[in-house]
Amino acid sequence: MLLGCTQLMYAQENLNFGRQKEIISPQTNPDGTFTFRLKAPNARKVEIQGDFLVSKSNTPPTQEMKLGTDSVWSYTSAVLPSELYSYSFIVDGLKIRDPNNVYLIRDVSSVVNVFLVGNGKADLYMVKDVPHGTVAKRWYQSAGLKTSRRLTVYTPPGYEASKGNYPVLYLLHGVGGDEEAWMQLGRASQILDNLIAAGKAKPMIVVMTNGHTSNTAAPGESSKGLYKPIMMTPDVFNGDMESYFKEIIDFTEKNYRTGKTQNDRAIAGLSMGGFHSLYISANYPKTFGYVGLFSPAILPPASAASPIYKDLDLKLEAQKKNGYNLYWIAIGKTDFLYKNVSEFRRKLDEMSFKYDYKESEGGHTWSNWRDYLSEFTPMLFK
Amino acid sequence: MLLGCTQLMYAQENLNFGRQKEIISPQTNPDGTFTFRLKAPNARKVEIQGDFLVSKSNTPPTQEMKLGTDSVWSYTSAVLPSELYSYSFIVDGLKIRDPNNVYLIRDVSSVVNVFLVGNGKADLYMVKDVPHGTVAKRWYQSAGLKTSRRLTVYTPPGYEASKGNYPVLYLLHGVGGDEEAWMQLGRASQILDNLIAAGKAKPMIVVMTNGHTSNTAAPGESSKGLYKPIMMTPDVFNGDMESYFKEIIDFTEKNYRTGKTQNDRAIAGLSMGGFHSLYISANYPKTFGYVGLFSPAILPPASAASPIYKDLDLKLEAQKKNGYNLYWIAIGKTDFLYKNVSEFRRKLDEMSFKYDYKESEGGHTWSNWRDYLSEFTPMLFK
């Protein structure tokens, strides 16, 4: 009996391989452009929509694809700046995924195809031949919330083989995210691996939490089953994330070899996670030596009743008096939270609360948050 | 400044929420059926293709969907037996994903939507409110292959808090898989969590390897970048996986609290992974107390030159003489490897090599491999 390749090729389920001419999409061209392809024999109009295209108006940027031979529609991009891009196809008005690109990222209830363009900042987002940290999905017990909850924990290369203690960055997501968001959309483990390998960031543990305390885990990873994800959960602004964050610190410092001083702890987050980082760092005296607010939401709604949100000015005064190494705020010029962040900065200025400020192009985007993480982590634990 | 829900709802990128009437697909109906929906205003014909449908002929099972109001096409299934199912939509001949279902699993170069039907065997595949193990993506150094390579390591609930040693199951994938396959298509961590919680399986470490030695990691997780995955890699049958498997055992036993006797080690795999398990267990004397061959490929092609594949009969005689606790073979009645497995069993019978045998319905499918894992793990380390 000979078990050859032909037999095995038909052995796997759901296999598309070998049955039709291979379509590559997206294809990297030698001149730095990218070609996207879709075989759609009965389509009347095929478009591509993506964040690498230029928008003509307020609508999402879209380009028509051209019908070539074998019913394959294609579009070739301009030479693209280095970035992680996302796109969809639109076939006769219906938005679909690219069936020839298996790389997908979910954002709330949408899934989009992605591709990476190197030779620039997105080199940090790529898996390189450098030592890799370990990424673990691990559950901690929350006594306050009376449930176990899921975390993503990055331990840096060398952690397991060494005996030393490591500093910890607590990295928080926005309102649409969960403990997967910084890994998937944020490329956090790749950024850390590459910055550490280049000697630009200190080896650190990164704990990525789930900021929705009414969920125990990301969609599909809890006993709620395979439900359709929503953005707003009832926990937003109820103060639970901030109040029970101590449990996460305690779990981390008990279960990992960590430093246990203020200088060994950083907290950063984007949007809602920036809001969480602001209030957690203000409510936990002498706990965090480094704070990063990426496009942060600042104030809770007037209806938010938790004591966590009361007396912010007094808490900031105490934080200032207690001292810290870095308080870093970053926002894009066109971010819808720009004005709110400006008002917060004015407050900090008036009280001589020292902070560093980064103003970037663009808005409330993962492109900016990946940039901010790439810029923030090298400043930590020096 | 008040940052209310409305503002946040538009804060996230790629957001589909709130812009149109919410479509739920698949929807679980009270009578145990499932309704699938797709909004496709310009479509002329919409079908659903899935493994829960009954095939009329040799073609993949497909049903037409019906156009209702608001341009929403729908199809309601029969009452379905408990299982993890996959499906796609076909719109005017073009196979697409369900845009309202974010749960997707990749198999080689195809991505399909999935859903779970409970009240039966698939209850084991669901995340339940039971203690959860930790799942880590971790890299080990292969001296033989001169590279670091990625593993998925499941450590059972209680591992971190205890001081004891744990037995290890090495769990190997098929030719289309990688170190993600048993987690994604195989639901391995859910099956283990649930069997351990029910007292049906012993707490054990599960090490899920990448059986393609020409790859360091799953597609997208190595420095090869975001390439289109293929099934057959040049390493298949070159003997490297089997020859260098000792490095994985050594890494595991050095980095985890494991038992270090034959009784503390099991190896199992599906298809190509069954082939690997057969040859690894036969070539490593007194190493594995438990061997599981799930729909295994048996013989390499005549061109396979590695000494790993030579003198199988002599090696099996030695394995028999050395002893083991369990040698378990499982295959479906319609599996294309059925005849080959029958011949292998005849060989074992002729040499009085003791084994247990499970013959199931069905063929070379993940449905069977999840069943086999669910049945195999409770027999281990007793």
Side-chain angles (χ1 to χ4, degrees), chain A residues 114-153:
Chain A
V114 296
F115 66 106
L116 281 162
V117 179
N119 294 318
K121 68 181 195 177
D123 287 342
L124 283 180
Y125 314 158
M126 297 177 178
V127 179
K128 299 282 187 182
D129 283 328
V130 299
H132 301 295
T134 298
V135 177
K137 306 292 176 184
R138 188 162 170 188
W139 295 71
Y140 75 100
Q141 188 63 32
S142 169
L145 296 164
K146 297 183 181 58
T147 186
S148 61
R149 307 190 73 239
R150 195 163 174 264
L151 300 168
T152 302
V153 182

Side-chain angles (χ1 to χ4, degrees), chain A residues 132-257:
Chain A
H132 301 295
T134 298
V135 177
K137 306 292 176 184
R138 188 162 170 188
W139 295 71
Y140 75 100
Q141 188 63 32
S142 169
L145 296 164
K146 297 183 181 58
T147 186
S148 61
R149 307 190 73 239
R150 195 163 174 264
L151 300 168
T152 302
V153 182
Y154 170 90
T155 44
Y159 173 83
E160 290 96 345
S162 88
K163 302 222 178 287
N165 289 334
Y166 286 76
V168 182
L169 165 62
Y170 297 90
L171 188 57
L172 282 56
H173 61 78
V175 72
D178 50 58
E179 76 277 13
E180 309 274 8
W182 268 110
M183 284 295 298
Q184 295 299 314
L185 289 148
R187 305 292 287 178
S189 71
Q190 289 83 9
I191 291 171
L192 266 291
D193 277 357
N194 290 320
L195 287 175
I196 291 168
K200 290 181 180 165
K202 292 253 184 188
M204 65 184 82
I205 297 167
V206 184
V207 175
M208 289 160 268
T209 54
N210 186 314
H212 291 290
T213 52
S214 60
N215 290 337
T216 61
E221 301 291 345
S222 78
S223 61
K224 288 187 182 175
L226 306 187
Y227 63 93
K228 187 169 186 176
I230 57 168
M231 181 170 266
M232 294 302 296
T233 51
D235 51 72
V236 178
F237 304 124
N238 74 0
D240 278 355
M241 181 61 184
E242 299 90 337
S243 302
Y244 298 119
F245 200 81
K246 188 173 185 312
E247 299 179 331
I248 295 172
I249 303 172
D250 290 347
F251 174 85
T252 303
E253 298 190 354
K254 191 181 162 198
N255 283 274
Y256 294 87
R257 295 192 321 276

